[in-house]
Amino acid sequence: SLVLACACRAPLTRHEFTRGAMGTEFRLVFFAADAARAAHAAEAAFARIAALDAALSDYRSESELVRFGELSDGACPTAWTQVSPDLAAVLAEAEDVARASGGAFDVSGGPLVELWRRARRQGELPPPARLAAARASVGWRALELDRTRGTARLHLARMRLDLGGIAKGYALDAALAVLTRHGLERALLAGG
């Protein structure tokens, strides 16, 4: 006797979702068996992106990143500070890229970014004294990490970190992991 088994699946259909976060638009395109499952997975992925935006943003005064930078407004070096696993992972990756690029990639450039954002809004160049003061608060080696303990500290006064060059990629990886946990195997994600 011959027995044939059919592992038939429901046909997959294409679904696309967009939502704003991190100062840009995130787009998720993936294939799922039904619209309800697709919407549930997309909501979970967008929730993960929103949580990362709240933690890693330099635009949100209450974000973990901003609060960490504000510690350097007091005595430096700052005390070792426990950071979230997400912030620790992004800072570790940023340190690796800074080291590999000889400092060309530097998330400690926040004071300069802040100064140039203001200059753009006002339509005038920053005064040389303010540029010098901002430069004195920048240097990737002044951000110290203890990767084992998940702690970090800052060695320069008024340091501000700007993760704009790395946080969106981290958020996309995290969103893809969420979609994978929801059983979605075919996806394209874009942020920016």
Side-chain angles (χ1 to χ4, degrees):
S1 142
L2 179 63
V3 177
L4 297 175
C6 178
C8 298
R9 291 187 188 182
L12 300 178
T13 56
R14 184 181 187 277
H15 301 272
E16 183 171 342
F17 302 86
T18 58
R19 188 163 303 163
M22 296 185 161
T24 191
E25 184 175 85
F26 281 79
R27 182 171 153 239
L28 314 176
V29 180
F30 54 84
F31 289 82
D34 61 74
R37 182 176 178 185
H40 180 70
E43 280 305 313
F46 284 132
R48 180 72 171 114
I49 292 168
L52 290 170
D53 188 13
L56 306 178
S57 174
D58 67 322
Y59 283 98
R60 297 172 179 252
S61 61
E62 72 286 352
S63 76
E64 179 184 9
L65 180 72
V66 169
R67 285 180 286 133
F68 177 63
E70 288 172 347
L71 296 174
S72 69
D73 292 348
C76 284
T78 63
W80 284 103
T81 302
Q82 189 72 48
V83 296
S84 69
D86 287 319
L87 183 54
V90 172
L91 294 179
E93 188 66 29
E95 181 180 60
D96 292 345
V97 176
R99 185 172 286 113
S101 68
F105 182 81
D106 185 352
V107 297
S108 77
L112 291 167
V113 171
E114 215 172 90
L115 190 61
W116 284 103
R117 281 179 187 159
R118 183 172 185 256
R120 185 180 62 216
R121 283 190 310 269
Q122 294 179 340
E124 59 187 38
L125 295 175
R130 294 198 68 192
L131 274 170
R135 281 190 197 106
S137 298
V138 174
W140 68 273
R141 287 185 176 94
L143 167 60
E144 187 177 6
L145 305 174
D146 183 330
R147 295 177 187 218
T148 305
R149 291 189 174 102
T151 58
R153 67 179 176 173
L154 303 169
H155 286 269
L156 297 174
R158 293 173 299 285
M159 285 186 78
R160 295 295 184 269
L161 305 179
D162 184 327
L163 303 177
I166 196 168
K168 290 176 189 78
Y170 184 83
L172 288 168
D173 288 344
L176 183 59
V178 169
L179 294 178
T180 300
R181 283 193 301 275
H182 279 81
L184 303 174
E185 300 172 352
R186 298 176 184 140
L188 170 71
L189 286 70

